[in-house]
Amino acid sequence: MRNWWKALAIILLVYTVIAGFLIEVPKQVILYESIRNLYFHVPMWFTMILLFLLSTIQSVKNLSSGSIASDQKAIEYVNTGIIFGALGIITGSIWAKYTWGAWWTNDVKLNGSAITMLIYLAYIILRNSMDDEQKRARISAVYNIFAFVMLIVFIGILPRMTDSLHPGNGGNPGFNNYDLDNKMKLVFYPAVFGWILLGLWIASIRIRISKIKEQIES
Amino acid sequence: MRIIITIALFLLSMLSMAQDLEMAEKMRSEGKIYVVVAVLTVILIGLLIYLINIDKKVGKLEKELKK
């Protein structure tokens, strides 16, 4: 079975939805049942970061070999990653409203992720603005690598240096310390894996479609 | 006498409230959370089946192109 990982994605996601709502969670003031958002909001970001990382790898490949196929893979990974990022921002916003009290706060991680999304939107616009295939591939590959470096700075480094409302950032203890007990891990890890597989699945379909398009055009 | 009983009852109710955090236990004991789980499972499976169909359609196109 070549598509076993797609079946695994389905099993993990169905498990996430069922177990995610039924398994007991630690009782926390402010958070209450909304702690279950951890199974859905956080994996969106993990999936986005992985897709962007894969895109960066394809861009490096493109620069080293000049392969147009790599450039196509790079853009489709970003296209899919953007969707997950947008879902991450929207779900985070809803969660923030009912725990932190506002749809949007000036939290470093929130602004950092918003800037990251804009950087990647700029990548798509930049790539679409050029017609020459080789030139488009090379320039957008350079920009794409730069974009991932910015992602690391804005999502990975800056939130840890200043105060942040997010767990695990800026003196705020991580979920691991006391909130994420073993029961939650039983759902959280499969959830992360399932959502990542779903992201890879969607990206793979997009890549195949773009290959078909190219074959038709040539 | 009545006042004492009232105060005692009030304190008792305070005690029971302080004992544990009220989460969604009521909803769960009535079993309604299962409705949400069912709805979400249906939506998720529906979308996944849709994705499988798209996957198959792309596969067909790939086969046609190979010919």
Side-chain angles (χ1 to χ4, degrees):
Chain A
M1 263 278 277
R2 196 163 48 94
N3 288 330
W4 62 271
W5 58 280
K6 291 171 186 171
L8 184 64
I10 292 172
I11 293 166
L12 287 175
L13 287 178
V14 170
Y15 166 75
T16 301
V17 166
I18 296 172
F21 284 99
L22 297 183
I23 281 185
E24 240 185 274
V25 291
K27 296 178 178 186
Q28 302 268 340
V29 267
I30 300 174
L31 275 173
Y32 298 99
E33 293 283 356
S34 85
I35 199 169
R36 296 178 194 277
N37 276 349
L38 188 84
Y39 310 138
F40 305 100
H41 166 71
V42 182
M44 293 298 118
W45 294 110
F46 287 174
T47 310
M48 182 199 81
I49 291 170
L50 184 83
L51 287 168
F52 286 172
L53 174 69
L54 291 174
S55 173
T56 311
I57 292 169
Q58 292 301 329
S59 283
V60 172
K61 263 191 189 169
N62 168 267
L63 285 181
S64 64
S65 69
S67 142
I68 294 296
S70 297
D71 174 55
Q72 269 177 346
K73 281 181 190 166
I75 184 73
E76 295 305 350
Y77 279 132
V78 167
N79 277 332
T80 316
I82 287 262
I83 299 288
F84 280 89
L87 289 174
I89 281 199
I90 296 166
T91 53
S93 184
I94 297 168
W95 200 3
K97 174 66 184 169
Y98 296 100
T99 49
W100 300 340
W103 295 107
W104 192 267
T105 66
N106 270 332
D107 186 70
V108 267
K109 210 162 195 177
L110 268 66
N111 288 332
S113 54
I115 293 168
T116 309
M117 298 297 286
L118 291 176
I119 289 172
Y120 274 94
L121 282 174
Y123 164 72
I124 295 172
I125 294 168
L126 174 80
R127 193 178 170 281
N128 286 342
S129 67
M130 286 174 283
D131 288 327
D132 181 64
E133 215 177 32
Q134 288 290 340
K135 195 173 156 192
R136 178 173 71 186
R138 226 172 315 134
I139 293 174
S140 55
V142 172
Y143 181 87
N144 194 27
I145 294 165
F146 160 78
F148 194 72
V149 174
M150 288 291 109
L151 177 145
I152 293 170
V153 172
F154 281 117
I155 296 182
I157 300 173
L158 286 182
R160 286 182 171 73
M161 295 180 69
T162 49
D163 288 334
S164 172
L165 289 163
H166 272 92
N169 293 146
N172 211 349
F175 261 119
N176 294 358
N177 290 358
Y178 54 92
D179 312 317
L180 190 61
D181 67 349
N182 286 329
K183 264 187 191 161
M184 284 197 84
K185 280 178 192 164
L186 272 180
V187 184
F188 182 61
Y189 293 143
V192 169
F193 203 47
W195 289 111
I196 283 178
L197 285 176
L198 183 74
L200 291 176
W201 187 358
I202 295 172
S204 78
I205 290 176
R206 290 201 65 123
I207 290 167
R208 282 160 67 195
I209 289 175
S210 79
K211 270 181 194 161
I212 291 171
K213 253 190 198 164
E214 201 205 297
Q215 273 185 304
I216 290 172
E217 278 164 11
S218 65
Chain B
M1 189 59 194
R2 244 186 218 170
I3 295 167
I4 293 167
I5 292 172
T6 323
I7 291 171
L9 278 175
F10 178 71
L11 284 177
L12 253 175
S13 67
M14 287 291 282
L15 248 174
S16 66
M17 272 207 288
Q19 259 168 2
D20 57 345
L21 268 169
E22 189 78 24
M23 306 265 278
E25 256 116 4
K26 263 180 198 156
M27 189 169 73
R28 201 162 311 217
S29 66
E30 286 165 12
K32 297 271 168 76
I33 189 70
Y34 296 104
V35 182
V36 182
V37 174
V39 166
L40 265 172
T41 312
V42 167
I43 291 176
L44 181 71
I45 290 177
L47 285 175
L48 288 173
I49 288 173
Y50 183 52
L51 191 62
I52 292 171
N53 274 338
I54 293 172
D55 199 321
K56 277 184 184 161
K57 273 185 187 165
V58 174
K60 269 183 196 165
L61 277 177
E62 279 168 341
K63 269 185 192 166
E64 271 181 43
L65 268 179
K66 265 185 189 169
K67 285 177 189 169

